[in-house]
Amino acid sequence: YFVLCEAQQGGDNVVSKRLRIIINSLEDQGCVVRETKSGWLVRPPAKDAEQFAIHGTESDHRAEKNTRARVLRAGLTWPFDKT
C-alpha cells in the first residue's frame, strides 16, 4: 500500500517512498501532476486520456492496484513492472 506518513517534518506531510516514485515516474512520462488537498490530480499527455486522481491516504489493499489500472488505462507505464 502507499500511504501518507502520519509524521510531519517542518509542517509538511512526508509522502511514502513508493508513492513518490510513482508520482515522479508519471511526471517523467509527460503527465501534469498537481498536488491537491487530499492527494494528486494527474493529467496524462495524451489528449484522449482522462485525468485521474491519486488519493494521498489510500490505505486499503486494493488502492495501489486500482491506481496501477488507472495509469495503464491512460497509456502510461507503471514504474514497478519488470521490463
Side-chain angles (χ1 to χ4, degrees), residues 46-73:
K47 294 191 184 291
D48 61 337
E50 290 188 24
Q51 65 183 9
F52 58 92
I54 299 175
H55 200 276
T57 57
E58 292 182 334
S59 60
D60 73 22
H61 71 284
R62 291 287 312 163
E64 186 170 326
K65 290 182 180 188
N66 291 338
T67 299
R68 179 181 179 272
R70 287 185 218 116
V71 167
L72 296 178
R73 222 176 285 129

Side-chain angles (χ1 to χ4, degrees), residues 31-58:
C31 293
V32 175
V33 181
R34 187 178 60 147
E35 191 166 2
T36 64
K37 186 171 102 173
S38 60
W40 293 267
L41 186 61
V42 180
R43 181 172 296 142
K47 294 191 184 291
D48 61 337
E50 290 188 24
Q51 65 183 9
F52 58 92
I54 299 175
H55 200 276
T57 57
E58 292 182 334

